[in-house]
Amino acid sequence: MAPPSSRDEIVWRLHLASPPEDVFALLSTDAGRERFWCESSRQSGDRIAMCFINGVETETLVLACAPPASIAFRYFGSDVLFELAPDGKGGTDLTLRNRGVAEDEYEEVLAGWLNVLFPLKGAADFGIDLRSHDPARLWDDGYIDQ
């Protein structure tokens, strides 16, 4: 069982009906990330240029990749690990671990991962994009479906 989140490590768990291989493909490919996480994703080697609807761009570094069990990134200055385990019924138990989040960003990052994980579930399990893609309705304005 994953420990609860603390100021040292954010931990979220999510159950998906989709198999680990399908979830891993969403996390590890440009086309997959664009279906739920960012507006554009361009990977070259271990570096990923990610752009978001609010105009923010970041270079994400792939730290480790063990298909289909895990993938780790350096994302906005902190380390993020996605662990994928078969649930025994064809689905996936996902655990997200985020370490090194700045103290003054902790609350926003803690909540912000839900804005990644729920769209991941929508894309993986239902083939839908839960995001609005509306630059007039952003996270910074209180919208959770940016």
Side-chain angles (χ1 to χ4, degrees):
M1 184 170 163
S5 294
S6 70
R7 294 287 179 175
D8 295 327
E9 181 180 56
I10 292 170
V11 178
W12 285 114
R13 298 189 77 202
L14 177 67
H15 180 260
L16 299 118
S18 300
E21 296 79 12
D22 293 355
V23 178
F24 187 84
L26 288 169
L27 293 165
S28 64
T29 65
D30 290 331
R33 288 184 292 267
E34 290 173 356
R35 287 186 55 205
F36 77 96
W37 194 344
C38 54
E39 294 300 307
S40 70
S41 174
R42 297 294 172 262
Q43 185 167 353
S44 179
D46 63 355
R47 301 197 178 277
I48 307 166
M50 297 173 83
C51 300
F52 299 90
I53 191 68
N54 63 356
V56 171
E57 298 180 13
T58 189
E59 183 173 275
T60 299
L61 179 65
V62 178
L63 299 174
C65 185
S70 66
I71 189 164
F73 302 105
R74 169 113 351 102
Y75 179 70
F76 286 103
S78 63
D79 293 346
V80 179
L81 171 64
F82 291 89
E83 298 171 302
L84 309 174
D87 70 355
K89 299 177 184 174
T92 302
D93 283 319
L94 179 150
T95 302
L96 175 143
R97 299 176 184 281
N98 188 187
R99 292 185 179 152
V101 176
E103 181 65 31
D104 63 333
E105 297 176 358
Y106 179 84
E107 295 297 328
E108 182 173 355
V109 173
L110 177 68
W113 280 116
L114 296 177
N115 204 26
V116 174
L117 294 174
F118 286 129
L120 171 61
K121 185 172 183 71
D125 289 355
F126 304 104
I128 59 172
D129 187 346
L130 296 176
R131 300 168 297 165
S132 71
H133 300 279
D134 185 345
R137 291 176 175 83
L138 303 173
W139 178 264
D140 295 336
D141 301 320
Y143 289 88
I144 63 168
D145 63 339
Q146 66 176 354

